[in-house]
Amino acid sequence: MGSSCGRVCWKWGSRLRRLTGFSRLLSTAALTPQICVVGSGPAGFYTAQHLLKHHRLAQVDIYEKLPVPFGLVRFGVAPDHPEVKSYGAEDNRILGIPGENLSGVYSARAFVGWYNGLPENRDLKPDLSSETAVVMGQGNVALDVARVLLSPLDILKKTDITEGSLAAIACSKVKRVWLVGRRGPLQVAFTIKELREMINLPGTRPLLNPADFTGLGDVIKDVPRPRKRLTELMVKSALEKPGEKDASRWASATKEWGLKFRCSPLEVLPTADGKQARGIRMAVTRLEGSGESARAVPTGEVEELECGLILSSIGYRSLPLDSSIPFDPKLGIIPNSLGRVQGAPGLYCSGWVKRGPTGVIITTMNDSFDTAQSMLEDLQSGVLKLSNSKEGFKSVRSILHSRGVHPVTFSDWEKIDAAEVARGKLAGKPREKLVDPQEMLQLISH
């Protein structure tokens, strides 16, 4: 690690577990706070940025379990949305229904990881042989997954989607995607930008049931503007006659997508041999209450959808890092006060493990700045005792070497980056990601 003040140092160890935005303060001198950030996603980077900007002596090391940095910025939602990525937790919530483990059923997180080159998902091999796919969930991730499944190949070829995923999608039989939600149109979690892009997706047409939107115009008069505009776009698409251009495009479309409301999953239906998903049985629900607090209550009716591909997109959750660090398994967060880990002086958290799996990049940025500010205030007030000298990365490096772990440096990452960009250029793409960590390590060892 460099000794110059204010320098950010990058280290990655294959045996280090990652928890986005988890930080511990280490001190090497009375006036030199040395800070360890575990996780090289946006939460970690923004925390480091704020600390370095506002403390001229701070030294920061960022640790990552993979050989490559940037977390969800690299492995996030959609390759055709390089400016917006939306997940950063380590695990996904499960549906908790019979048949969830059948072939053809996947978490949206694993599917997203597959087409974005996340090493742990590179061997997913999703079955795309069914004409109909169902995505359980109505958030931005659900829309992203549907868009990738239905996008023309000419669009996907210009992104950094992995070569293997592109080849699989080229052979996909999926022509129809249903996005299913437990509640109604006023409770969807996606944003207007993603919805508009889906409505305008070349070669596809939307399937919106007019009955779901009738009368909503009066209901939304007093709702917040973002929700009002979003609902108005759905109402317009469902109830108004499309313009000549849209009508022509939708008439010639070979693929389609739709929103199905007030349905809660009950069971994944198996094929005759009991191995593959052939459909999903859902409880028809009604809403009690209104707005964001509305609850979905089963009516006793059921509905079945035939489909061979089912993707669960009902949210993500963080995992505990270590038994010595407090963790609330119900909320999936580290108990904290403005980023200060409860009962553990010197420990801080940021990102989704701090507040739960909500928000996008700008939310994470502001949240990370708040955590960094808490750290700076504790340094200023003397709550953090910098006189308790610790060796910082020198000590960590010794431990890693004793375990046979050779950290990947930022310079090493630059070699991987250059190789990916060069491979992408040959294919007419921004980059062609390496998906095998061993291949990455071999590349930097030469």
Side-chain angles (χ1 to χ4, degrees), residues 240-295:
E240 296 184 12
K241 184 179 179 180
E244 184 177 339
K245 183 178 179 181
D246 284 340
S248 175
R249 181 168 57 85
W250 293 350
S252 62
T254 58
K255 298 179 180 180
E256 56 193 12
W257 64 275
L259 298 172
K260 196 167 279 290
F261 300 107
R262 292 179 285 274
C263 289
S264 180
L266 290 175
E267 178 186 5
V268 176
L269 304 174
T271 51
D273 61 8
K275 296 179 180 180
Q276 177 79 27
R278 66 168 179 83
I280 186 166
R281 178 177 292 129
M282 302 174 291
V284 177
T285 66
R286 60 180 175 82
L287 296 187
E288 288 187 353
S290 60
E292 299 298 327
S293 61
R295 293 176 57 249

Short mmCIF file of all heavy atoms in Angstrom, two decimals, residues 240-295:
data_model
loop_
_atom_site.label_atom_id
_atom_site.label_comp_id
_atom_site.label_asym_id
_atom_site.label_seq_id
_atom_site.Cartn_x
_atom_site.Cartn_y
_atom_site.Cartn_z
N GLU A 240 -56.43 4.09 -24.40
CA GLU A 240 -56.53 4.97 -25.56
C GLU A 240 -56.11 4.25 -26.84
O GLU A 240 -55.25 3.38 -26.82
CB GLU A 240 -55.67 6.22 -25.35
CG GLU A 240 -56.13 7.09 -24.20
CD GLU A 240 -55.31 8.36 -24.09
OE1 GLU A 240 -54.55 8.68 -25.02
OE2 GLU A 240 -55.44 9.06 -23.06
N LYS A 241 -56.72 4.64 -27.92
CA LYS A 241 -56.37 4.09 -29.23
C LYS A 241 -54.96 4.54 -29.59
O LYS A 241 -54.65 5.73 -29.52
CB LYS A 241 -57.36 4.56 -30.28
CG LYS A 241 -57.13 3.95 -31.65
CD LYS A 241 -58.17 4.45 -32.64
CE LYS A 241 -57.92 3.85 -34.03
NZ LYS A 241 -58.94 4.32 -35.01
N PRO A 242 -54.09 3.61 -29.95
CA PRO A 242 -52.71 4.01 -30.24
C PRO A 242 -52.63 4.85 -31.51
O PRO A 242 -53.49 4.77 -32.38
CB PRO A 242 -51.98 2.67 -30.43
CG PRO A 242 -53.05 1.71 -30.85
CD PRO A 242 -54.30 2.16 -30.12
N GLY A 243 -51.58 5.64 -31.60
CA GLY A 243 -51.35 6.41 -32.80
C GLY A 243 -51.03 5.50 -33.97
O GLY A 243 -50.77 4.30 -33.80
N GLU A 244 -51.02 6.07 -35.14
CA GLU A 244 -50.80 5.27 -36.35
C GLU A 244 -49.48 4.52 -36.31
O GLU A 244 -49.40 3.34 -36.69
CB GLU A 244 -50.85 6.19 -37.58
CG GLU A 244 -50.74 5.44 -38.91
CD GLU A 244 -50.86 6.37 -40.10
OE1 GLU A 244 -51.41 7.48 -39.94
OE2 GLU A 244 -50.40 5.99 -41.18
N LYS A 245 -48.43 5.19 -35.82
CA LYS A 245 -47.10 4.57 -35.78
C LYS A 245 -47.08 3.38 -34.83
O LYS A 245 -46.61 2.29 -35.18
CB LYS A 245 -46.06 5.60 -35.36
CG LYS A 245 -44.64 5.08 -35.36
CD LYS A 245 -43.66 6.19 -34.97
CE LYS A 245 -42.24 5.67 -34.95
NZ LYS A 245 -41.26 6.75 -34.55
N ASP A 246 -47.62 3.58 -33.60
CA ASP A 246 -47.64 2.48 -32.63
C ASP A 246 -48.56 1.36 -33.08
O ASP A 246 -48.24 0.17 -32.92
CB ASP A 246 -48.10 3.00 -31.27
CG ASP A 246 -47.01 3.78 -30.54
OD1 ASP A 246 -45.83 3.59 -30.89
OD2 ASP A 246 -47.35 4.56 -29.64
N ALA A 247 -49.70 1.72 -33.65
CA ALA A 247 -50.64 0.70 -34.11
C ALA A 247 -50.00 -0.18 -35.17
O ALA A 247 -50.16 -1.42 -35.16
CB ALA A 247 -51.90 1.37 -34.66
N SER A 248 -49.27 0.43 -36.08
CA SER A 248 -48.60 -0.34 -37.13
C SER A 248 -47.51 -1.24 -36.55
O SER A 248 -47.37 -2.41 -36.94
CB SER A 248 -48.00 0.63 -38.16
OG SER A 248 -47.24 -0.07 -39.12
N ARG A 249 -46.75 -0.68 -35.61
CA ARG A 249 -45.66 -1.45 -35.01
C ARG A 249 -46.19 -2.63 -34.20
O ARG A 249 -45.67 -3.73 -34.28
CB ARG A 249 -44.82 -0.52 -34.11
CG ARG A 249 -43.64 -1.20 -33.44
CD ARG A 249 -42.70 -0.18 -32.83
NE ARG A 249 -43.38 0.69 -31.87
CZ ARG A 249 -43.56 0.37 -30.59
NH1 ARG A 249 -43.14 -0.80 -30.14
NH2 ARG A 249 -44.17 1.19 -29.77
N TRP A 250 -47.25 -2.38 -33.43
CA TRP A 250 -47.81 -3.45 -32.61
C TRP A 250 -48.47 -4.53 -33.46
O TRP A 250 -48.44 -5.71 -33.12
CB TRP A 250 -48.81 -2.87 -31.61
CG TRP A 250 -48.15 -2.00 -30.57
CD1 TRP A 250 -46.80 -1.86 -30.35
CD2 TRP A 250 -48.80 -1.13 -29.65
NE1 TRP A 250 -46.57 -0.96 -29.33
CE2 TRP A 250 -47.77 -0.49 -28.88
CE3 TRP A 250 -50.13 -0.81 -29.38
CZ2 TRP A 250 -48.06 0.43 -27.86
CZ3 TRP A 250 -50.41 0.10 -28.37
CH2 TRP A 250 -49.40 0.72 -27.62
N ALA A 251 -49.06 -4.13 -34.57
CA ALA A 251 -49.73 -5.10 -35.44
C ALA A 251 -48.72 -6.08 -36.06
O ALA A 251 -49.04 -7.25 -36.30
CB ALA A 251 -50.50 -4.37 -36.54
N SER A 252 -47.51 -5.60 -36.32
CA SER A 252 -46.49 -6.46 -36.94
C SER A 252 -45.56 -7.12 -35.93
O SER A 252 -44.66 -7.88 -36.31
CB SER A 252 -45.65 -5.63 -37.93
OG SER A 252 -44.96 -4.59 -37.24
N ALA A 253 -45.78 -6.84 -34.64
CA ALA A 253 -44.89 -7.39 -33.60
C ALA A 253 -45.00 -8.90 -33.52
O ALA A 253 -46.08 -9.49 -33.68
CB ALA A 253 -45.23 -6.77 -32.25
N THR A 254 -43.86 -9.55 -33.28
CA THR A 254 -43.84 -11.01 -33.13
C THR A 254 -43.70 -11.44 -31.68
O THR A 254 -43.76 -12.63 -31.37
CB THR A 254 -42.66 -11.60 -33.94
OG1 THR A 254 -41.43 -11.02 -33.48
CG2 THR A 254 -42.84 -11.32 -35.42
N LYS A 255 -43.48 -10.45 -30.79
CA LYS A 255 -43.35 -10.76 -29.37
C LYS A 255 -44.24 -9.81 -28.57
O LYS A 255 -44.65 -8.76 -29.07
CB LYS A 255 -41.88 -10.61 -28.93
CG LYS A 255 -40.94 -11.57 -29.65
CD LYS A 255 -39.49 -11.39 -29.20
CE LYS A 255 -38.57 -12.34 -29.93
NZ LYS A 255 -37.16 -12.18 -29.50
N GLU A 256 -44.53 -10.21 -27.33
CA GLU A 256 -45.42 -9.40 -26.52
C GLU A 256 -45.12 -9.57 -25.04
O GLU A 256 -44.49 -10.55 -24.62
CB GLU A 256 -46.89 -9.77 -26.80
CG GLU A 256 -47.20 -11.23 -26.61
CD GLU A 256 -48.54 -11.63 -27.20
OE1 GLU A 256 -49.14 -10.84 -27.96
OE2 GLU A 256 -49.01 -12.75 -26.88
N TRP A 257 -45.54 -8.58 -24.26
CA TRP A 257 -45.36 -8.63 -22.81
C TRP A 257 -46.60 -8.01 -22.16
O TRP A 257 -47.30 -7.20 -22.77
CB TRP A 257 -44.12 -7.85 -22.38
CG TRP A 257 -44.21 -6.38 -22.68
CD1 TRP A 257 -43.90 -5.76 -23.86
CD2 TRP A 257 -44.70 -5.36 -21.80
NE1 TRP A 257 -44.16 -4.42 -23.77
CE2 TRP A 257 -44.64 -4.13 -22.53
CE3 TRP A 257 -45.15 -5.35 -20.49
CZ2 TRP A 257 -45.04 -2.92 -21.97
CZ3 TRP A 257 -45.56 -4.14 -19.93
CH2 TRP A 257 -45.49 -2.94 -20.65
N GLY A 258 -46.87 -8.43 -20.95
CA GLY A 258 -48.05 -7.90 -20.28
C GLY A 258 -47.90 -7.84 -18.78
O GLY A 258 -47.01 -8.47 -18.19
N LEU A 259 -48.79 -7.06 -18.16
CA LEU A 259 -48.84 -6.93 -16.71
C LEU A 259 -50.07 -7.67 -16.20
O LEU A 259 -51.18 -7.46 -16.70
CB LEU A 259 -48.92 -5.45 -16.31
CG LEU A 259 -47.74 -4.56 -16.71
CD1 LEU A 259 -48.06 -3.10 -16.43
CD2 LEU A 259 -46.48 -4.99 -15.98
N LYS A 260 -49.85 -8.54 -15.24
CA LYS A 260 -50.96 -9.28 -14.64
C LYS A 260 -50.99 -8.93 -13.15
O LYS A 260 -50.01 -9.12 -12.43
CB LYS A 260 -50.76 -10.79 -14.84
CG LYS A 260 -52.02 -11.59 -14.61
CD LYS A 260 -51.86 -13.01 -15.12
CE LYS A 260 -52.07 -13.12 -16.61
NZ LYS A 260 -53.50 -12.91 -17.00
N PHE A 261 -52.14 -8.38 -12.70
CA PHE A 261 -52.24 -7.86 -11.35
C PHE A 261 -53.04 -8.78 -10.44
O PHE A 261 -53.75 -9.67 -10.88
CB PHE A 261 -52.91 -6.48 -11.37
CG PHE A 261 -52.17 -5.46 -12.17
CD1 PHE A 261 -52.65 -5.04 -13.40
CD2 PHE A 261 -50.98 -4.92 -11.70
CE1 PHE A 261 -51.97 -4.10 -14.14
CE2 PHE A 261 -50.29 -3.97 -12.43
CZ PHE A 261 -50.78 -3.56 -13.66
N ARG A 262 -52.89 -8.51 -9.13
CA ARG A 262 -53.66 -9.19 -8.08
C ARG A 262 -53.57 -10.72 -8.20
O ARG A 262 -54.57 -11.42 -8.16
CB ARG A 262 -55.12 -8.71 -8.10
CG ARG A 262 -55.25 -7.26 -7.67
CD ARG A 262 -56.67 -6.77 -7.71
NE ARG A 262 -57.10 -6.53 -9.09
CZ ARG A 262 -56.89 -5.40 -9.76
NH1 ARG A 262 -56.27 -4.40 -9.17
NH2 ARG A 262 -57.31 -5.26 -11.00
N CYS A 263 -52.35 -11.21 -8.34
CA CYS A 263 -52.09 -12.65 -8.39
C CYS A 263 -50.91 -12.98 -7.50
O CYS A 263 -49.85 -12.37 -7.61
CB CYS A 263 -51.80 -13.12 -9.81
SG CYS A 263 -53.23 -13.12 -10.91
N SER A 264 -51.08 -13.96 -6.61
CA SER A 264 -50.02 -14.37 -5.69
C SER A 264 -49.65 -15.82 -5.94
O SER A 264 -50.54 -16.69 -6.03
CB SER A 264 -50.51 -14.20 -4.25
OG SER A 264 -49.51 -14.56 -3.32
N PRO A 265 -48.37 -16.15 -6.10
CA PRO A 265 -47.98 -17.52 -6.47
C PRO A 265 -48.32 -18.54 -5.39
O PRO A 265 -48.07 -18.31 -4.20
CB PRO A 265 -46.46 -17.41 -6.67
CG PRO A 265 -46.05 -16.23 -5.83
CD PRO A 265 -47.19 -15.27 -5.90
N LEU A 266 -48.87 -19.66 -5.83
CA LEU A 266 -49.20 -20.76 -4.91
C LEU A 266 -48.33 -21.99 -5.13
O LEU A 266 -47.89 -22.63 -4.19
CB LEU A 266 -50.67 -21.16 -5.08
CG LEU A 266 -51.75 -20.20 -4.60
CD1 LEU A 266 -53.12 -20.74 -4.98
CD2 LEU A 266 -51.65 -19.99 -3.10
N GLU A 267 -48.07 -22.30 -6.41
CA GLU A 267 -47.36 -23.55 -6.73
C GLU A 267 -46.85 -23.52 -8.17
O GLU A 267 -47.53 -23.03 -9.08
CB GLU A 267 -48.33 -24.73 -6.57
CG GLU A 267 -47.75 -26.09 -6.92
CD GLU A 267 -48.78 -27.20 -6.87
OE1 GLU A 267 -49.98 -26.89 -6.67
OE2 GLU A 267 -48.38 -28.36 -7.04
N VAL A 268 -45.63 -24.00 -8.35
CA VAL A 268 -45.11 -24.22 -9.70
C VAL A 268 -45.57 -25.60 -10.14
O VAL A 268 -45.35 -26.59 -9.44
CB VAL A 268 -43.57 -24.13 -9.74
CG1 VAL A 268 -43.06 -24.45 -11.14
CG2 VAL A 268 -43.11 -22.74 -9.31
N LEU A 269 -46.23 -25.66 -11.29
CA LEU A 269 -46.79 -26.92 -11.77
C LEU A 269 -45.75 -27.70 -12.55
O LEU A 269 -45.11 -27.15 -13.45
CB LEU A 269 -48.01 -26.63 -12.65
CG LEU A 269 -49.12 -25.80 -11.97
CD1 LEU A 269 -50.21 -25.46 -12.99
CD2 LEU A 269 -49.70 -26.56 -10.79
N PRO A 270 -45.56 -28.99 -12.25
CA PRO A 270 -44.52 -29.78 -12.92
C PRO A 270 -45.03 -30.47 -14.18
O PRO A 270 -46.23 -30.66 -14.37
CB PRO A 270 -44.17 -30.82 -11.85
CG PRO A 270 -45.47 -31.04 -11.12
CD PRO A 270 -46.19 -29.71 -11.13
N THR A 271 -44.10 -30.84 -15.04
CA THR A 271 -44.41 -31.68 -16.20
C THR A 271 -44.70 -33.10 -15.71
O THR A 271 -44.54 -33.40 -14.53
CB THR A 271 -43.24 -31.69 -17.19
OG1 THR A 271 -42.04 -32.02 -16.48
CG2 THR A 271 -43.07 -30.33 -17.85
N ALA A 272 -45.10 -33.96 -16.64
CA ALA A 272 -45.50 -35.32 -16.25
C ALA A 272 -44.39 -36.08 -15.54
O ALA A 272 -44.65 -36.89 -14.64
CB ALA A 272 -45.95 -36.09 -17.49
N ASP A 273 -43.13 -35.80 -15.92
CA ASP A 273 -42.03 -36.51 -15.28
C ASP A 273 -41.60 -35.87 -13.95
O ASP A 273 -40.69 -36.36 -13.27
CB ASP A 273 -40.82 -36.61 -16.21
CG ASP A 273 -40.28 -35.24 -16.61
OD1 ASP A 273 -40.73 -34.21 -16.06
OD2 ASP A 273 -39.40 -35.20 -17.50
N GLY A 274 -42.24 -34.77 -13.57
CA GLY A 274 -41.97 -34.13 -12.29
C GLY A 274 -40.67 -33.36 -12.22
O GLY A 274 -40.24 -32.98 -11.13
N LYS A 275 -40.03 -33.10 -13.36
CA LYS A 275 -38.71 -32.46 -13.34
C LYS A 275 -38.72 -31.00 -13.82
O LYS A 275 -37.90 -30.21 -13.38
CB LYS A 275 -37.75 -33.27 -14.21
CG LYS A 275 -37.49 -34.68 -13.70
CD LYS A 275 -36.53 -35.42 -14.63
CE LYS A 275 -36.27 -36.84 -14.11
NZ LYS A 275 -35.32 -37.57 -15.02
N GLN A 276 -39.64 -30.68 -14.72
CA GLN A 276 -39.61 -29.38 -15.39
C GLN A 276 -40.87 -28.58 -15.05
O GLN A 276 -41.95 -29.14 -14.87
CB GLN A 276 -39.53 -29.59 -16.92
CG GLN A 276 -39.58 -28.33 -17.75
CD GLN A 276 -38.24 -27.62 -17.77
OE1 GLN A 276 -37.20 -28.26 -17.61
NE2 GLN A 276 -38.27 -26.31 -17.97
N ALA A 277 -40.73 -27.26 -14.98
CA ALA A 277 -41.89 -26.41 -14.79
C ALA A 277 -42.71 -26.36 -16.08
O ALA A 277 -42.17 -26.26 -17.17
CB ALA A 277 -41.46 -25.01 -14.39
N ARG A 278 -44.04 -26.46 -15.94
CA ARG A 278 -44.93 -26.33 -17.10
C ARG A 278 -45.93 -25.19 -16.91
O ARG A 278 -46.68 -24.85 -17.82
CB ARG A 278 -45.68 -27.62 -17.36
CG ARG A 278 -46.66 -28.00 -16.26
CD ARG A 278 -47.60 -29.13 -16.69
NE ARG A 278 -48.52 -29.53 -15.63
CZ ARG A 278 -49.67 -28.90 -15.37
NH1 ARG A 278 -50.03 -27.85 -16.08
NH2 ARG A 278 -50.45 -29.33 -14.39
N GLY A 279 -45.94 -24.63 -15.71
CA GLY A 279 -46.88 -23.55 -15.44
C GLY A 279 -46.83 -23.13 -13.99
O GLY A 279 -46.05 -23.66 -13.19
N ILE A 280 -47.67 -22.17 -13.64
CA ILE A 280 -47.72 -21.69 -12.26
C ILE A 280 -49.17 -21.45 -11.86
O ILE A 280 -49.97 -20.94 -12.64
CB ILE A 280 -46.88 -20.40 -12.08
CG1 ILE A 280 -46.82 -20.00 -10.60
CG2 ILE A 280 -47.40 -19.26 -12.95
CD1 ILE A 280 -45.75 -18.97 -10.30
N ARG A 281 -49.51 -21.91 -10.66
CA ARG A 281 -50.86 -21.69 -10.11
C ARG A 281 -50.79 -20.53 -9.14
O ARG A 281 -49.89 -20.45 -8.29
CB ARG A 281 -51.36 -22.95 -9.41
CG ARG A 281 -52.75 -22.78 -8.77
CD ARG A 281 -53.24 -24.07 -8.15
NE ARG A 281 -53.51 -25.07 -9.18
CZ ARG A 281 -53.04 -26.31 -9.17
NH1 ARG A 281 -52.23 -26.70 -8.19
NH2 ARG A 281 -53.34 -27.16 -10.13
N MET A 282 -51.74 -19.58 -9.28
CA MET A 282 -51.70 -18.38 -8.46
C MET A 282 -53.05 -18.12 -7.80
O MET A 282 -54.10 -18.46 -8.35
CB MET A 282 -51.34 -17.17 -9.34
CG MET A 282 -50.01 -17.32 -10.05
SD MET A 282 -49.68 -15.97 -11.19
CE MET A 282 -50.94 -16.29 -12.44
N ALA A 283 -53.00 -17.54 -6.62
CA ALA A 283 -54.20 -17.12 -5.93
C ALA A 283 -54.61 -15.75 -6.44
O ALA A 283 -53.78 -14.84 -6.51
CB ALA A 283 -53.96 -17.07 -4.42
N VAL A 284 -55.87 -15.60 -6.80
CA VAL A 284 -56.39 -14.29 -7.17
C VAL A 284 -56.61 -13.50 -5.88
O VAL A 284 -57.19 -14.01 -4.93
CB VAL A 284 -57.70 -14.41 -7.96
CG1 VAL A 284 -58.27 -13.03 -8.28
CG2 VAL A 284 -57.48 -15.22 -9.23
N THR A 285 -56.14 -12.26 -5.85
CA THR A 285 -56.22 -11.47 -4.62
C THR A 285 -57.11 -10.24 -4.81
O THR A 285 -57.43 -9.85 -5.93
CB THR A 285 -54.82 -11.00 -4.17
OG1 THR A 285 -54.30 -10.09 -5.14
CG2 THR A 285 -53.87 -12.16 -4.00
N ARG A 286 -57.49 -9.65 -3.72
CA ARG A 286 -58.13 -8.34 -3.71
C ARG A 286 -57.35 -7.45 -2.75
O ARG A 286 -56.62 -7.95 -1.88
CB ARG A 286 -59.59 -8.45 -3.26
CG ARG A 286 -59.77 -9.03 -1.86
CD ARG A 286 -61.24 -9.12 -1.47
NE ARG A 286 -61.40 -9.79 -0.18
CZ ARG A 286 -61.25 -9.19 0.99
NH1 ARG A 286 -60.95 -7.89 1.03
NH2 ARG A 286 -61.40 -9.86 2.12
N LEU A 287 -57.50 -6.16 -2.92
CA LEU A 287 -56.72 -5.23 -2.11
C LEU A 287 -57.53 -4.71 -0.93
O LEU A 287 -58.70 -4.36 -1.05
CB LEU A 287 -56.24 -4.05 -2.95
CG LEU A 287 -55.28 -4.37 -4.10
CD1 LEU A 287 -54.77 -3.08 -4.73
CD2 LEU A 287 -54.11 -5.20 -3.62
N GLU A 288 -56.87 -4.68 0.22
CA GLU A 288 -57.42 -4.02 1.41
C GLU A 288 -56.55 -2.81 1.71
O GLU A 288 -55.33 -2.93 1.81
CB GLU A 288 -57.41 -4.98 2.61
CG GLU A 288 -58.45 -6.08 2.52
CD GLU A 288 -58.53 -6.90 3.80
OE1 GLU A 288 -57.68 -6.66 4.70
OE2 GLU A 288 -59.42 -7.75 3.92
N GLY A 289 -57.16 -1.66 1.80
CA GLY A 289 -56.39 -0.43 1.98
C GLY A 289 -56.09 0.18 0.62
O GLY A 289 -56.58 -0.27 -0.42
N SER A 290 -55.28 1.22 0.64
CA SER A 290 -54.97 1.91 -0.60
C SER A 290 -53.53 2.38 -0.61
O SER A 290 -52.85 2.37 0.43
CB SER A 290 -55.90 3.12 -0.79
OG SER A 290 -55.74 4.03 0.30
N GLY A 291 -53.08 2.78 -1.78
CA GLY A 291 -51.73 3.32 -1.90
C GLY A 291 -50.66 2.30 -1.58
O GLY A 291 -50.84 1.08 -1.76
N GLU A 292 -49.53 2.79 -1.06
CA GLU A 292 -48.39 1.92 -0.77
C GLU A 292 -48.69 0.92 0.34
O GLU A 292 -48.06 -0.14 0.43
CB GLU A 292 -47.17 2.76 -0.37
CG GLU A 292 -46.69 3.71 -1.46
CD GLU A 292 -46.24 2.99 -2.70
OE1 GLU A 292 -45.71 1.88 -2.58
OE2 GLU A 292 -46.42 3.54 -3.81
N SER A 293 -49.65 1.22 1.19
CA SER A 293 -49.96 0.33 2.33
C SER A 293 -51.00 -0.73 2.00
O SER A 293 -51.37 -1.53 2.86
CB SER A 293 -50.44 1.17 3.52
OG SER A 293 -51.63 1.88 3.19
N ALA A 294 -51.49 -0.74 0.78
CA ALA A 294 -52.52 -1.71 0.40
C ALA A 294 -52.00 -3.13 0.54
O ALA A 294 -50.87 -3.44 0.16
CB ALA A 294 -52.97 -1.45 -1.04
N ARG A 295 -52.83 -4.03 1.09
CA ARG A 295 -52.46 -5.43 1.29
C ARG A 295 -53.23 -6.31 0.31
O ARG A 295 -54.40 -6.07 0.02
CB ARG A 295 -52.77 -5.86 2.72
CG ARG A 295 -51.92 -5.20 3.77
CD ARG A 295 -52.36 -5.62 5.17
NE ARG A 295 -52.32 -7.06 5.36
CZ ARG A 295 -53.40 -7.83 5.51
NH1 ARG A 295 -54.61 -7.29 5.48
NH2 ARG A 295 -53.27 -9.13 5.68
#
